[in-house]
Amino acid sequence: MARWQKRPTGGRTRVRSSPEVRRVKLGAELRRLRVLAGLTSAAAARLAGWHQSKVSRIETGRSGVKPSDVALLLDAYGVRDASQRELLDALCGADAAESAGWWHTYRSLLPAQYRDFIRLESQACTAHTFETSVMPGLLQTPGYAKAVTRASLDGLPARTVDSLVDVRLARQRVLEADPPLELSAVVDEAALHRRVGGRGVMAEQLRHVREVARLPHVRLQVMPFAAGGHLGLTGSFTIFSFSNIVDLDVVVLDHLMSSRYLERKEELEAYSAAFRRIQARALPQKESLDLIAGLGDGV
């Protein structure tokens, strides 16, 4: 993430998702909730103490909305579900949503983009991820996570590295939640052979992956070298989907100096289709785990 790196010559580029896209999605969801509550826009405006035009502007995405305004509308619509309210706060970019999450403790350390990623991950019902170089963060051991952090964010103080590893391990609680995050991961075979942290660390990592993959809500596949060229050669990505919000799926592309969020319908369809094709080219889970077991301590 950009905040942890020295600024390169010429500055840095922070690529964020379009705020207009999120405003439109938030507005559409608020409109859906209003209709479910049996309210007209005029009635909703009266309950909120606003003019009807403000409700219309929010629902069409023509104007931004503050967290307090979202909370007021959700109260008027009788929305009590905490996770749904937190996710809508995240959608409008509300830092207020962080105070309810464990990551608030690390707020001074984590870039806004990473906090946004964690908020989405914590509320998602499914995650589809493809990794080309390393094991997915949700499947990493402490030793492997520390080695990856040190290698990718060179020069950080040891205390900062430890805190970032703590964050990565805390993120893994979503696999133990009720209900847990349903994770489908495809990992390029290269990540299995890259001896991150040394032989011992890597052997432990591979054993851990086999154990986690036994969970009923975790599906792990390996894209073998024998598959040759495939769509995943363009890079890693993650797709989050949500059960309690309509049309909120998001694709996350992670880069060294930035993260990019893709939320338009055509982008989501393209990446979802790409992931299905990547899964089809990858080894089935049993064969993938057999391959990992075959590497054993010989990595």
Side-chain angles (χ1 to χ4, degrees):
M1 293 293 176
R3 185 169 178 171
W4 306 317
Q5 286 283 356
K6 296 180 180 178
R7 184 186 298 269
T9 303
R12 65 186 179 188
T13 301
R14 293 175 62 87
V15 183
R16 298 298 301 273
S17 61
S18 168
E20 291 81 8
V21 173
R22 291 204 164 190
R23 282 205 304 267
V24 169
K25 288 193 173 186
L26 176 61
E29 179 61 17
L30 290 173
R31 181 182 184 279
R32 186 184 73 86
L33 293 172
R34 172 178 61 75
V35 172
L36 284 176
L39 296 171
T40 64
S41 59
R46 284 195 299 272
L47 289 173
W50 302 339
H51 192 278
Q52 182 180 357
S53 62
K54 180 172 181 177
V55 174
S56 297
R57 289 195 305 272
I58 290 174
E59 290 185 352
T60 56
R62 293 199 305 270
S63 65
V65 56
K66 298 182 295 184
S68 57
D69 289 342
V70 171
L72 195 59
L73 290 176
L74 295 180
D75 288 342
Y77 303 158
V79 177
R80 301 287 180 260
D81 184 81
S83 63
Q84 188 173 16
R85 294 176 71 104
E86 289 171 12
L87 187 55
L88 286 169
D89 275 348
L91 191 58
C92 71
D95 286 341
E98 293 181 0
S99 61
W102 58 264
W103 55 90
H104 181 68
T105 305
Y106 301 92
R107 190 175 186 279
S108 62
L109 173 68
L110 304 178
Q113 290 171 308
Y114 195 14
R115 298 198 305 271
D116 194 27
F117 180 91
I118 294 172
R119 282 199 299 267
L120 293 172
E121 182 179 68
S122 69
Q123 297 296 332
C125 64
T126 64
H128 296 83
T129 185
F130 174 69
E131 288 287 352
T132 60
S133 302
V134 297
M135 301 303 296
L138 294 180
L139 303 180
Q140 294 180 6
T141 64
Y144 185 90
K146 179 174 287 190
V148 168
T149 302
R150 283 175 173 168
S152 58
L153 299 168
D154 186 40
L156 289 182
R159 181 175 298 181
T160 301
V161 171
D162 289 341
S163 295
L164 293 175
V165 171
D166 289 342
V167 169
R168 182 156 300 186
L169 298 179
R171 283 174 45 204
Q172 297 175 4
R173 296 173 192 162
V174 296
L175 297 178
E176 303 170 355
D178 184 20
L181 175 73
E182 294 185 7
L183 175 65
S184 293
V186 180
V187 181
D188 195 277
E189 186 177 351
L192 308 180
H193 293 273
R194 182 167 289 106
R195 198 176 292 173
V196 177
R199 183 186 297 271
V201 168
M202 198 63 202
E204 179 187 27
Q205 174 62 59
L206 296 181
R207 287 194 297 270
H208 176 71
V209 164
R210 297 201 304 274
E211 292 174 4
V212 177
R214 295 192 182 102
L215 296 173
H217 51 278
V218 175
R219 179 182 181 184
L220 177 67
Q221 295 176 256
V222 173
M223 178 65 77
F225 289 141
H230 56 83
L231 281 174
L233 293 177
T234 56
S236 304
F237 62 91
T238 299
I239 306 172
F240 288 127
S241 298
F242 305 85
S243 61
N244 54 354
I245 300 290
V246 172
D247 194 29
L248 184 55
D249 291 8
V250 58
V251 177
V252 184
L253 308 179
D254 226 4
H255 306 288
L256 178 63
M257 300 303 294
S258 65
S259 290
R260 186 179 180 188
Y261 292 74
L262 306 179
E263 300 165 286
R264 300 186 186 280
K265 182 178 180 180
E266 59 271 21
E267 295 169 331
L268 291 166
E269 290 177 348
Y271 274 88
S272 294
F275 188 79
R276 289 193 297 270
R277 291 174 65 180
I278 288 171
Q279 277 191 312
R281 293 286 300 278
L283 297 175
Q285 173 151 310
K286 184 181 184 306
E287 293 180 31
S288 296
L289 296 182
D290 288 344
L291 173 61
I292 295 173
L295 294 175
D297 296 333
V299 292

